[in-house]
Amino acid sequence: SQTIHQWPATLVQPVGSPLSLECTVEGTSNPNLYWYRQAAGRGLQLLFYSIGIDQISSEVPQNLSASRPQDRQFILSSKKLLLSDSGFYLCAWSKDRQVEQFFGPGTRLTVL
Amino acid sequence: DQQVKQNSPSLSVQEGRISILNCDYTNSMFDYFLWYKKYPAEGPTFLISISSIKDKNEDGRFTVFLNKSAKHLSLHIVPSQPGDSAVYFCATLLEGNFGNEKLTFGTGTRLTIIP
């Protein structure tokens, strides 16, 4: 069966510090991968999606970047965090042309 | 521009009764519509979906209705159970040119089932 992991589960970082959130998927190959953010009181916003290694599309201009160094690894990064980067970050995967996306447990990021 | 709207941020329903969650969308080109359930501090879990060519899909206690002329989607849960208390997100899917599916989520409705 497939599983998706995210770490860390929670993170508190000062403004201006770097960020690296990691997501890995097990039990499948060539997944589509996604990063979402849920800000307080808001819905889920798609940040990045990837259909393959080094193939990443950004949905919204922002202070974040994503990388996919391996088939089942997706990394969300920032060089300098802003207060507005606080939120709940979710990684998800799907099989190509499948409707359903499967979400990881999420990372709660607080920028102080 | 919010393409998917859930106008009710919260809903309380008595246990055993029907819960009806609503969602409106603006883009008539969406291919699929989905409902996700989310508990605090967890990722959303998929509940049920419906293709744009259908008007109803049922799975156990969950039924999704699609009214394309009104661009309206609803989720019915009957009978409602305490474990159904969660935030429910509707989502729409527009299939991409290369098979990458991008979901657009609504803002969510917090459902509370009263014992």
Side-chain angles (χ1 to χ4, degrees), chain A residues 3 6 8 12 18 37 49 53 57 61 66 72 83 102 106:
Chain A
T3 55
Q6 284 186 248
V12 180
R37 175 172 60 202
Y49 68 91
I53 294 175
S57 296
R72 291 170 291 167
L83 286 174
F102 301 91

Side-chain angles (χ1 to χ4, degrees), chain B residues 43-57:
Chain B
T45 54
F46 170 76
L47 272 178
I48 192 169
S49 66
I50 187 168
S51 164
S52 61
I53 62 173
K54 295 186 176 181
D55 54 20
K56 178 183 175 180
N57 188 26

Side-chain angles (χ1 to χ4, degrees), chain B:
Chain B
D1 178 26
Q2 188 70 31
Q3 293 191 69
V4 183
K5 295 181 181 179
Q6 293 177 256
N7 292 318
S8 298
S10 63
L11 175 69
S12 294
V13 175
Q14 203 77 30
E15 181 178 359
R17 298 288 187 97
I18 183 171
S19 295
I20 300 176
L21 299 148
N22 294 304
C23 179
D24 297 298
Y25 60 94
T26 57
N27 188 345
S28 59
M29 300 300 291
F30 287 129
D31 299 298
Y32 288 91
F33 303 85
L34 302 88
W35 283 96
Y36 278 81
K37 175 181 180 180
K38 184 181 181 300
Y39 293 117
E42 293 184 9
T45 54
F46 170 76
L47 272 178
I48 192 169
S49 66
I50 187 168
S51 164
S52 61
I53 62 173
K54 295 186 176 181
D55 54 20
K56 178 183 175 180
N57 188 26
E58 191 172 353
D59 183 2
R61 296 187 298 115
F62 303 93
T63 303
V64 57
F65 294 93
L66 177 62
N67 182 335
K68 284 186 290 183
S69 62
K71 294 181 185 172
H72 181 79
L73 182 73
S74 64
L75 174 69
H76 292 209
I77 307 173
V78 56
S80 300
Q81 299 174 354
D84 295 330
S85 295
V87 176
Y88 289 78
F89 291 96
C90 69
T92 58
L93 186 149
L94 192 63
E95 290 184 301
N97 294 330
F98 303 101
N100 49 293
E101 277 68 66
K102 296 190 289 183
L103 291 177
T104 301
F105 283 86
T107 51
T109 297
R110 181 176 301 280
L111 175 65
T112 302
I113 305 303
I114 304 165

Side-chain angles (χ1 to χ4, degrees), chain A residues 9-15 17 19 81-83 85-89 107-112:
Chain A
T10 60
L11 190 60
V12 180
Q13 291 283 95
V15 169
S17 64
L19 173 74
L81 283 168
L82 305 172
L83 286 174
D85 292 324
S86 292
F88 192 54
Y89 287 83
T107 295
R108 171 73 60 193
L109 172 66
T110 303
V111 182
L112 301 175

